[in-house]
Amino acid sequence: MVLATIDSDEITNVEVIETVPGPGGGKQDATISYKDFEQERPEMALALIEIINSGECMVRCTHEDDGCVDGRCVCEIAYPEGDDFATVSVEDNGDHERAKVAGGGYITALAMLQALGDRGTSPEQDIAYLADQLAKQHIYCGGHIGSHGKFGDGLTDCGANDKEDVIISGKAYEAESPAGGVALLMSYSKDVYDSDVTDRVLARWAETTGDANYLIDSNGVTRLEAAQDAILKTEKNNADRKKAAVIKNLGANHNEKRLIVNYEDGYTFSQTKLRRLLMERFPEVSPDELPQVFVCDYWRVQTLANAVACFSERDSSRERDDMEVQSRRDIALHAGVAFQVGTYLTLTDATLPIDFVSTPASV
C-alpha cells in the first residue's frame, strides 16, 4: 500500500486571524516552553512566524482519519493489513496528512464520552465502543507512538493518551481551570461558550478520575492497544474504504514553540512541510533542533462532538430526540475543546503563543 502525499503547491486563502501570547498557568516544570526562544534564536523565531503567516503549510487533508497535535515529524507509518499492521518509512512513502486533535480522535472522543456520563467499565471498553459507533458514521481515528515510549511502563510517548486521566483531572497544571482557554478557542468559531456546560464537563471528569475501578490497569499502552484493535476491526468491516486509519511513529525530541488552532474544515497545518521550509532556511542546523508547532484542528473536534452526540442510548439503543442530541452536542463540544486546552496546559508551561487560523469568511 502506497500512502498518498500532499500537494506541495496547494495554498489556500487561509490566514492567521489573530495571535495571542501564551496565557501561562501550564505545568511549571514543563520542558516544552517558549521562554527565551526569541532572545536566544531571534532569526528562527521570526522565520517561524513568517512561514506560518505565509499560508504555505496549510494543506488539504489527504486522508480521512485523524492523529495527534504533537509537533514532531513522522519516521514510520503503521497501517492495517489483515490481522496486523504493516510498517513503512515516510522517506519511501511520503506523509499522511490528516486532521489533528489531542491524542487522536479516539482519545479526544473518550474525554467527551466521560463528560457525558456514558462511560462503561474501562477506558479500553469505551474506546472499542466509540470506534464501533463512530464507524457507523464513517468516522475513523488514528494515533501515534514515539521514540521515547516505554511500553513496559505503560507509556506510548503520546502525552495526551498517556496522561488522559491526568489531563481531565486538571492536577498537573497551575491554572485553576481550562475554562478560559475553552472560551477563547470557541470565540473564533460560530459556537457559543457556556460556563455552566463547562462546569458540568469538569464535574463529570472529576467523577471519572475518582472512579478507581474504572481506571484500574488502564494506561497509555492499553488504550493504544484498544485503538489498534479498533482500527483493525473497522478496517475489516469497511473493506470498500480507500483510506486507512494509521498509527504514526514520531521521532526526535519535542521542540514545539507555538500552537496553531485551525478552523478551516478539511484543511490542516503540515508540520512536515514546516520542517522542510525551515531546513531550507537553516541548512546548518540539525533538523532535530528546528522549532516545531502543535496543531489543533478545531473543526475535527466539532465533527467528533456532532457524532458522539448522536449515539443512541448505550444500554437500550434508544434513539435520542433532537433536543437531547443538541444538549449532548453542547457537552461533547465543550469537553472536546477543554481536552485540547487541558493537553496544552499539561504538556507545556503554556507560554507558547497561539495562532488562530481560518479563512476570514468562516470566522
Side-chain angles (χ1 to χ4, degrees), residues 152-198:
D153 296 330
L155 301 174
T156 66
D157 199 21
C158 172
N161 173 23
D162 293 339
K163 299 181 179 180
E164 195 271 342
D165 56 325
V166 176
I167 291 168
I168 66 172
S169 77
K171 293 180 179 179
Y173 51 82
E174 294 185 326
E176 183 177 343
S177 164
V182 177
L184 178 64
L185 265 63
M186 292 182 74
S187 71
Y188 293 91
S189 73
K190 293 181 172 64
D191 297 314
V192 179
Y193 173 73
D194 188 324
S195 61
D196 290 338
V197 175
T198 301

Side-chain angles (χ1 to χ4, degrees), residues 4 19 22 37 54 57 86 88 98 104-105 125 136 157 187 206 226 257 271 275 281 286 306 311 315 319 336 346 362:
T19 297
F37 178 56
S54 74
C57 294
V88 295
R98 57 186 181 177
Q125 183 196 56
K136 293 177 181 178
D157 199 21
S187 71
K257 297 302 179 185
Q271 290 137 321
R275 182 182 173 102
R281 293 203 185 194
S286 167
N306 293 341
F311 289 0
D315 295 330
E319 296 296 324
T346 300
S362 66

Side-chain angles (χ1 to χ4, degrees), residues 13-18 184-191 261-265 298 302 355-363:
N13 62 336
V14 175
E15 62 185 52
V16 176
I17 302 300
E18 189 170 358
L184 178 64
L185 265 63
M186 292 182 74
S187 71
Y188 293 91
S189 73
K190 293 181 172 64
D191 297 314
V261 183
N262 167 49
Y263 296 82
E264 188 64 18
D265 195 350
Y298 184 93
Q302 292 175 312
D355 299 303
F356 295 94
V357 177
S358 184
T359 54
S362 66
V363 174

Side-chain angles (χ1 to χ4, degrees), residues 279-294:
M279 287 172 63
E280 291 175 3
R281 293 203 185 194
F282 303 98
E284 75 286 358
V285 178
S286 167
D288 292 341
E289 296 178 4
L290 294 171
Q292 306 156 357
V293 295
F294 286 114

Side-chain angles (χ1 to χ4, degrees), residues 191 302 305-306 309 324-334:
D191 297 314
Q302 292 175 312
N306 293 341
E324 190 176 6
V325 169
Q326 182 57 51
S327 175
R328 285 170 55 84
R329 194 263 182 189
D330 289 343
I331 295 170
L333 180 65
H334 280 70

Side-chain angles (χ1 to χ4, degrees), residues 58-303:
M58 291 301 300
V59 299
R60 186 180 294 279
C61 295
T62 60
H63 287 69
E64 295 174 352
D65 67 327
D66 57 35
C68 189
V69 299
D70 196 308
R72 295 172 295 171
C73 283
V74 187
C75 54
E76 292 179 331
I77 298 176
Y79 62 88
E81 187 173 81
D83 295 326
D84 206 345
F85 286 83
T87 301
V88 295
S89 69
V90 172
E91 288 76 9
D92 293 336
N93 289 271
D95 206 350
H96 178 112
E97 290 292 352
R98 57 186 181 177
K100 304 173 182 79
V101 294
Y106 291 143
I107 299 300
T108 284
L110 176 64
M112 295 178 181
L113 198 71
Q114 292 163 340
L116 286 163
D118 283 353
R119 55 190 169 85
T121 60
S122 70
E124 292 73 22
Q125 183 196 56
D126 285 343
I127 289 171
Y129 168 72
L130 282 163
D132 182 64
Q133 295 299 309
L134 290 171
K136 293 177 181 178
Q137 300 182 54
H138 308 289
I139 296 173
Y140 309 92
C141 307
H144 83 85
I145 59 174
S147 57
H148 301 297
K150 298 179 181 178
F151 277 62
D153 296 330
L155 301 174
T156 66
D157 199 21
C158 172
N161 173 23
D162 293 339
K163 299 181 179 180
E164 195 271 342
D165 56 325
V166 176
I167 291 168
I168 66 172
S169 77
K171 293 180 179 179
Y173 51 82
E174 294 185 326
E176 183 177 343
S177 164
V182 177
L184 178 64
L185 265 63
M186 292 182 74
S187 71
Y188 293 91
S189 73
K190 293 181 172 64
D191 297 314
V192 179
Y193 173 73
D194 188 324
S195 61
D196 290 338
V197 175
T198 301
D199 289 343
R200 291 178 63 185
V201 167
L202 299 179
R204 287 288 193 182
W205 280 354
E207 292 176 8
T208 300
T209 57
D211 187 346
N213 290 329
Y214 175 74
L215 294 172
I216 193 169
D217 297 328
S218 181
N219 57 51
V221 171
T222 58
R223 291 189 287 270
L224 171 67
E225 290 171 345
Q228 289 173 321
D229 289 343
I231 290 171
L232 292 173
K233 179 182 177 182
T234 53
E235 185 74 12
K236 285 182 180 179
N237 293 342
N238 296 276
D240 59 332
R241 291 194 306 110
K242 296 180 180 179
K243 299 173 181 178
V246 303
I247 302 293
K248 294 185 177 183
N249 185 3
L250 308 184
N253 296 320
H254 283 284
N255 197 26
E256 289 91 349
K257 297 302 179 185
R258 305 184 79 87
L259 165 63
I260 293 174
V261 183
N262 167 49
Y263 296 82
E264 188 64 18
D265 195 350
Y267 286 81
T268 192
F269 185 95
S270 173
Q271 290 137 321
T272 298
K273 188 165 187 182
L274 172 65
R275 182 182 173 102
R276 292 170 185 160
L277 292 172
L278 286 170
M279 287 172 63
E280 291 175 3
R281 293 203 185 194
F282 303 98
E284 75 286 358
V285 178
S286 167
D288 292 341
E289 296 178 4
L290 294 171
Q292 306 156 357
V293 295
F294 286 114
V295 178
C296 169
D297 290 308
Y298 184 93
W299 59 267
R300 184 65 173 187
V301 180
Q302 292 175 312
T303 298

